[in-house]
Amino acid sequence: MRRYISAYFTDEEDLLRASKILMEKEISILDVLTPFPVHGLDKVLGLKESKLPTVGFIAGAIGTIFAFGFQTWAFVVDYPLFIGGKPHFAIPAFIPITFEVTVLFAAFAMVFAFLFRSKLGLGAKNKIHDERITDDRFVIIIDANESDEHFENVKNILEHEDAHDIQLKENQ
Amino acid sequence: MYVSPIREPLIKGNKTYSQITKDIAAPIEGKPGKAWYMGISLSLSAMFLGLAMMGWTIWEGIGTWGLNRTIGWGWGITNFVWWVGIGHAGTFISAILLLFRQKWRTSINRSAEAMTIFAVLCAGLFPLIHMGRPLLAFFVFPYPNTRDLWVNFNSPLLWDVFAISTYLLVSLLFWYMGLIPDIGTMRDRVKSKAKKFIYGLLSFGWTGSVKHWQRHEKLSLILAGLAAPLVLSVHSIVSADFATSIIPGWHTTIFPPYFVAGAIFSGFAMVLTLLIVTRKVLNLENYITLAHIESMNKIIIATGSIVGIAYLTELFISWYSGVEYEQYAFLNRAAGPYWWAYAIMMTCNVISPQLLWFRKLRRNLVFTFILSIFINIGMWFERFVIIVTSLHRDYLPSSWSMYKPTLVEVGIFVGTLGLFFTCFLLFIRAFPVIAIAEVKTVVKSSGEKEIKNETL
């Protein structure tokens, strides 16, 4: 059983300000749920940069090597065919397919990495905290420890920053 | 980001976040109107006609088409190139305009991307049917087979296979990843249990967590970075189908940029055709405003002028080259038996978009709608001119011939139009036509506000 505090905001500016103050007071924020990407929020919460571009680069590089290598192997080693008297190892002719395969590999790898890391996917059973989050509510979820003092403290800060509906909830 | 108060607002009507959700979700939640039922019955009929004609082609053989020994590519490849071109506007809007941080794309990117996918589907059908035996279509992929042969990696037709399939898959990924948060919105709005289950499944369990958004943003940016060169490569490769063959009128180095500009030109025309109707029928005039229409018209005039310059360059170079075959090919295009197709192409693609220099016309919906249809027709004729007029006069005068499409070919084209519009009509009933979450990010900086006098 774990307890947490949830608070609602109706404006992303209030949310940003409140998050900043909570971070400064070293109160641990478990998650922030928003209807759209709030710019700068990840910086305020000190989230690490996403490594998706690296995944894309590595997968793309594999795609490049695979596509170019395969075409070369098929046309130079496995079954050299004369086509219009052109060279077997025809680099310019291999470029278009190499490029397409690079893009294909990078795109698929990044999408799957994104879904995998975020635990999203067909039939994912993530807890929907509130149905209004995908509409116009911004929710901040804060770790609650046993002391009532902590809750009052957090509540004061949040109320001061225009939060609504500050509640202490329990996870089952 | 600072936005000048002189700029026209991108979202009108002083909307709150909740109103945006409600307005965009309304067409899905409400009952479809009479216009929708009429539209879908018309497009379904067209689609079934097309299916029948495709069935006939496969049953009876490619001889049911008007092709002959001299003209091996006609209506089918014309339609293929036309449809691929139309798809390009979607990726241009969602990828290239994202990289250029153009905020006006948020209102139109979703529907344009959907259009891309449907257009590429329609395009892909033509080479498939043209093979004559579509059940053996998998022969085009390099897989280990009993004949120990590989496909020809030097052939632009094979590059096309890779380009079109990659383009379709990457567009699909890009579109669906953008849809996930909005499907989440739909999941949280719908009341019926069945709908909630389906949207819940399709939303991939979206919660709106800040970490997910951070990754989502990164993913969109990098996918856009990949899709931008991809879209340029696809039509370049399509143009290589022609440019790498030694046929006067095809064998030119100008083809890739000229085809890409033409593709974006025709794609934007199709986006306008669709959106001018959609915004009216779905009451989305506050989101797809006259400012959006005008911006698209500006892209049309830019790309249309590039196409015009390309036509003139082609003519000049054919004369300047001193190659008599090349000179004859272009003279024959303009003044030969297919002069009327060339004239339609020139009028629709070069002359008519120049009218958009007038601001009044750029912001006139009726004019824009008619012009967009003109451009669609003109760009279809461009491909027809390139393919048929270049082929019908062979090197040997004894091989000279003429091409006329049969009813079967026309029927298949009408069928793909039916497929395209059926898909689009189903799409506007199932998913939000405007990216809800993305519009919410721009409404504060670029939405309509109460008039403030302090700066002006």
Side-chain angles (χ1 to χ4, degrees), chain B residues 1-237:
Chain B
M1 202 215 282
Y2 174 75
V3 174
S4 156
I6 307 163
R7 284 238 176 139
E8 220 173 323
L10 294 179
I11 291 118
K12 283 188 168 169
N14 212 358
K15 302 279 181 193
T16 64
Y17 293 141
S18 169
Q19 273 172 318
I20 293 175
T21 318
K22 220 171 110 204
D23 286 350
I24 299 175
I28 307 170
E29 289 163 343
K31 284 233 162 13
K34 248 194 202 137
W36 188 85
Y37 280 112
M38 265 163 58
I40 194 126
S41 37
L42 206 68
S43 62
L44 274 176
S45 321
M47 194 178 99
F48 284 120
L49 172 79
L51 279 178
M53 292 299 153
M54 283 177 212
W56 180 242
T57 305
I58 293 161
W59 180 260
E60 188 67 16
I62 211 81
T64 52
W65 291 12
L67 303 172
N68 51 51
R69 281 273 177 103
T70 310
I71 302 165
W73 280 1
W75 195 270
I77 303 301
T78 303
N79 294 332
F80 163 72
V81 182
W82 187 70
W83 275 122
V84 178
I86 282 176
H88 279 47
T91 322
F92 184 87
I93 290 169
S94 55
I96 298 182
L97 294 185
L98 178 105
L99 296 177
F100 283 120
R101 304 258 180 243
Q102 293 295 308
K103 286 183 180 173
W104 58 274
R105 58 174 263 290
T106 55
S107 293
I108 54 172
N109 62 351
R110 172 69 46 73
S111 44
E113 278 171 51
M115 185 197 79
T116 296
I117 292 161
F118 307 146
V120 176
L121 279 179
C122 290
L125 278 174
F126 284 99
L128 204 67
I129 310 163
H130 206 166
M131 288 174 189
R133 292 167 77 181
L135 295 179
L136 299 179
F138 62 90
F139 275 25
V140 301
F141 292 105
Y143 65 99
N145 52 61
T146 48
R147 292 155 284 137
D148 268 342
L149 279 170
W150 294 113
V151 284
N152 183 2
F153 293 111
N154 290 347
S155 163
L157 298 180
L158 185 75
W159 306 345
D160 245 357
V161 172
F162 280 85
I164 303 288
S165 12
T166 303
Y167 186 42
L168 181 65
L169 290 171
V170 173
S171 304
L172 205 62
L173 284 183
F174 199 9
W175 179 67
Y176 199 77
M177 285 303 117
L179 258 173
I180 286 178
D182 286 357
I183 298 177
T185 304
M186 290 316 298
R187 168 200 67 202
D188 294 343
R189 280 184 70 86
V190 289
K191 297 283 176 289
S192 101
K193 261 213 170 117
K195 279 187 189 168
K196 214 169 195 83
F197 176 74
I198 294 169
Y199 280 120
L201 214 58
L202 295 178
S203 73
F204 283 11
W206 181 258
T207 59
S209 161
V210 58
K211 188 70 199 170
H212 296 176
W213 275 123
Q214 187 206 26
R215 291 194 186 113
H216 192 267
E217 291 265 275
K218 212 31 151 221
L219 179 72
S220 305
L221 185 69
I222 307 287
L223 277 183
L226 287 172
L230 177 68
V231 69
L232 302 181
S233 83
V234 171
H235 229 58
S236 301
I237 290 174

Side-chain angles (χ1 to χ4, degrees), chain B residues 359-420:
Chain B
R359 184 163 195 266
K360 270 232 170 77
L361 292 176
R362 281 203 300 271
R363 297 177 73 89
N364 185 323
L365 287 177
V366 178
F367 173 80
T368 305
F369 186 74
I370 295 170
L371 182 78
S372 71
I373 293 186
F374 263 75
I375 294 171
N376 283 324
I377 295 171
M379 284 308 289
W380 190 89
F381 272 100
E382 181 202 289
R383 280 68 181 249
F384 182 83
V385 164
I386 291 173
I387 293 170
V388 174
T389 66
S390 304
L391 288 174
H392 85 129
R393 289 287 179 260
D394 211 337
Y395 288 106
L396 268 182
S398 61
S399 306
W400 288 10
S401 95
M402 293 292 283
Y403 167 77
K404 215 167 70 198
T406 62
L407 272 181
V408 178
E409 286 168 285
V410 180
I412 293 175
F413 176 57
V414 172
T416 51
L417 283 173
L419 173 67
F420 179 78

Side-chain angles (χ1 to χ4, degrees), chain A residues 35 44 97 127 155:
Chain A
V44 169
I97 291 178
K127 190 184 171 214
K155 195 174 176 181

Side-chain angles (χ1 to χ4, degrees), chain B residues 23-28 105-114 175 179 182 186 274-275 278-279 282-284 287-288 424-436 439:
Chain B
D23 286 350
I24 299 175
I28 307 170
R105 58 174 263 290
T106 55
S107 293
I108 54 172
N109 62 351
R110 172 69 46 73
S111 44
E113 278 171 51
W175 179 67
L179 258 173
D182 286 357
M186 290 316 298
L274 286 175
L275 286 187
T278 308
R279 73 193 275 274
L282 303 185
N283 294 321
L284 296 170
Y287 300 92
I288 303 166
F424 194 78
L425 286 166
L426 291 176
F427 157 71
I428 60 173
R429 291 287 308 154
F431 297 123
V433 267
I434 293 176
I436 302 176
V439 164

Side-chain angles (χ1 to χ4, degrees), chain A residues 11-12 31-34 39 42 48-49 75 78-79 83 93 100 118 120-122 126 131 134-136, chain B residues 17 21 148 150 159 185 188 196 204-205 208-215 217-218 230 233 440 444:
Chain A
D11 194 288
E12 71 269 25
D31 205 351
V32 181
L33 306 168
T34 59
H39 287 278
D42 51 341
K48 267 188 266 168
E49 275 281 321
F75 263 31
D78 190 50
Y79 204 137
I83 299 161
E100 302 300 327
S118 309
L120 297 172
L122 214 56
N126 293 333
E131 291 194 341
T134 53
D135 183 10
D136 65 342
Chain B
Y17 293 141
T21 318
D148 268 342
W150 294 113
W159 306 345
T185 304
D188 294 343
K196 214 169 195 83
F204 283 11
S209 161
V210 58
K211 188 70 199 170
H212 296 176
W213 275 123
Q214 187 206 26
R215 291 194 186 113
E217 291 265 275
K218 212 31 151 221
L230 177 68
S233 83
K440 283 175 189 167
K444 271 210 171 159

